[in-house]
Amino acid sequence: MKRLLILGATGSVGRQALDVVARAPEAFELVGLSADSGWDALLWLARQHRVKRIALADPDAAARASEAWTDGEVLSGPEGLARLVAEADADLVLNAIVGSAGLGPTIVALTEGIDVALANKESLVVGGELVTALSEATGAQLIPVDSEHSALHQLIHGEHPGTIDRLTVTASGGPFRGRTRAELEHVTIEDALKHPTWEMGGKITIDSATLMNKGLEVIEAHHLFGTPYDRLDVVVHPQSIVHALVSLCDGATLAHLGYPDMQVPIAYALHHPDRVEVPVPALDLAQVGALTFEAPDEEAFPCLRLAREAAVAGGTAPCVLNAANEVAVHAFLAGRLAFTGIAEVIETTLERVGAGRVHSFDTLFDADAHARETAADLVEVRA
Ligand code: NAD
Ligand code: MG
């Protein structure tokens, strides 16, 4: 039995993970759940899954949950979240928090030597070098949950490191694939939230529409697999059937295929190294018919280029990129920034804040805060 802690339990990945767990009661013991502020939803999940310890990042929400819950313990604030991770005696932590708020809990888990099933790609975008160094130092594994990286994890397994030439992640292209930059100026929040193939939380859905999600995933792949940026490709594949490809030195390319359903990579990460049955339809390629591929349009979707530039610049640049993106996406979802303003705010924030060397996690927390302030000012000027 694995002692499992789920962070971000009320979200899209978190809830699907709870379904995976509920189907395998013999494999998991749930030792804790967390959320940001949705205390009533979290309490409901805790009761349903018989969990006795929860944490809420928002202290007011934590106070209300404590009042309402007499037969369990509620921890409060980011410190409470850190305590939940450090004290749970877990074998595995699923980090399904959205945004750079997930970095702290990743650090705590790895420091404690606990394996992390990582959905929170922002942990690696912001702190890639330090996070992977920490994982190596303590021997705690990072098992990707992101579908493309789960695919790469499965494909790379069994290949000798020197034989891998290139890695490719696929992108659906999002709801605005094929549009020009001018055509993107007046798109609405509702249009941007209509993802063609995946159903996900709001932030990652907007990241998919801007292609920033693929930029973040290139950085994520770089850190997970140690692959240089010039050997990491992105190809647009609107059907989302092929998730990733590994090209080997002998001219062979291996692909990972399946219908777009997060239950598959979530079950893989939680049960790893075992494989279990997942109730998804068997892939029927005759019914799918055609798989098509095209190059990403970085003219219309500058976020992919910005992410690659920040990745190559290194240091705090990816952290600044990520923080500015979080602020800009939040503003777009609140109706305070145009869709095309997202890339503009990120680019100007990167110019203004610049990139420095990373000495410690504190450097990253400071750069994150500085970038957020700068990006918020830029949004304000535009609103
Ligand atoms: P979501 O918005 O649906 O859920 C986010 C969860 O994080 C919620 O439980 C929320 O309460 C919690 N949270 C938010 N802010 C927090 C904070 N400041 N402190 C602590 N907890 C906080 O998001 P999601 O779509 O489930 O995505 C979660 C992560 O997984 C993201 O990093 C995303 O990029 C990644 N991911 C998601 C999918 C998907 O299908 N949804 C696929 C691949 C990767
Ligand atoms: Mg993905």
Side-chain angles (χ1 to χ4, degrees):
M1 259 219 181
K2 262 185 209 172
R3 290 173 61 83
L4 173 67
L5 179 63
I6 298 184
L7 306 177
T10 54
S12 159
V13 171
R15 285 172 186 274
Q16 293 181 81
L18 284 167
D19 292 342
V20 168
V21 170
R23 281 200 303 271
E26 71 296 340
F28 301 105
E29 182 187 349
L30 269 176
V31 295
L33 301 176
S34 89
D36 183 23
S37 57
W39 65 272
D40 41 355
L42 189 64
L43 273 193
W44 191 84
L45 291 172
R47 288 193 175 113
Q48 199 189 24
H49 294 273
R50 298 171 195 286
V51 177
K52 289 282 168 242
R53 211 162 189 237
I54 62 171
L56 284 146
D58 179 66
D60 293 333
R64 298 188 65 179
S66 299
E67 267 171 44
W69 202 30
T70 46
D71 52 347
E73 188 186 357
V74 183
L75 300 171
S76 166
E79 312 75 34
L81 214 58
R83 267 188 61 203
L84 183 73
V85 177
E87 296 172 4
D89 193 22
D91 300 309
L92 182 66
V93 172
L94 168 65
N95 187 345
I97 292 172
V98 62
S100 63
L103 176 60
T106 295
I107 298 169
V108 177
L110 294 176
T111 303
E112 296 293 325
I114 306 167
D115 291 346
V116 177
L118 192 68
N120 181 256
K121 64 191 84 184
E122 294 90 344
S123 285
L124 283 173
V125 171
V126 174
E129 278 87 7
L130 294 182
V131 167
T132 49
L134 188 57
S135 143
E136 269 164 40
T138 64
Q141 284 191 72
L142 284 166
I143 307 150
V145 171
D146 213 347
S147 56
E148 299 78 3
H149 305 72
S150 174
L152 289 172
H153 194 263
Q154 297 171 53
L155 290 168
I156 287 172
H157 201 81
E159 294 302 333
H160 291 289
T163 60
I164 293 165
D165 208 21
R166 310 189 70 76
L167 304 183
T168 305
V169 291
T170 61
S172 71
F176 304 135
R177 184 176 60 90
R179 296 205 198 178
T180 63
R181 198 165 182 180
E183 287 168 340
L184 291 174
E185 257 159 45
H186 302 293
V187 298
T188 65
I189 302 169
E190 210 189 3
D191 293 337
L193 284 173
K194 274 189 210 131
H195 195 280
T197 50
W198 295 95
E199 263 200 55
M200 310 177 287
K203 192 259 181 184
I204 184 176
T205 303
I206 302 305
D207 286 348
S208 301
T210 62
L211 287 201
M212 178 56 90
N213 185 47
K214 230 27 73 172
L216 302 180
E217 290 188 357
V218 166
I219 303 175
E220 181 185 12
H222 167 77
H223 292 297
L224 281 171
F225 307 112
T227 312
Y229 284 112
D230 58 1
R231 288 165 180 249
L232 276 166
D233 297 326
V234 172
V235 68
V236 174
H237 167 47
Q239 297 81 21
S240 298
I241 297 288
V242 177
H243 304 305
L245 305 122
V246 172
S247 302
L248 304 172
C249 60
D250 62 357
T253 292
L254 313 178
H256 182 288
L257 288 78
Y259 292 117
D261 188 328
M262 283 305 291
Q263 297 260 347
V264 176
I266 292 170
Y268 174 81
L270 296 188
H271 285 279
H272 184 75
D274 298 333
R275 284 209 187 245
V276 296
E277 270 181 43
V278 178
V280 290
L283 181 60
D284 181 347
L285 283 176
Q287 192 247 334
V288 172
L291 301 177
T292 60
F293 301 90
E294 64 199 47
D297 179 355
E298 293 192 10
E299 210 22 61
F301 302 97
C303 284
L304 182 56
R305 169 181 59 81
L306 291 173
R308 276 203 182 268
E309 286 171 3
V312 170
T316 54
C319 167
V320 170
L321 169 101
N322 177 73
N325 181 54
E326 286 187 33
V327 170
V329 169
H330 186 77
F332 171 71
L333 284 172
R336 288 188 291 116
L337 184 67
F339 184 77
T340 45
I342 297 174
E344 289 163 14
V345 164
I346 298 166
E347 185 150 27
T348 311
T349 303
L350 279 162
E351 282 162 14
R352 293 214 182 146
V353 175
R357 291 183 58 178
V358 177
H359 304 285
S360 65
F361 283 116
D362 281 337
T363 321
L364 295 169
F365 295 131
D366 292 347
D368 179 275
H370 185 189
R372 277 173 197 274
E373 264 171 45
T374 307
D377 288 346
L378 289 166
V379 168
E380 206 56 49
V381 170
R382 270 149 214 272

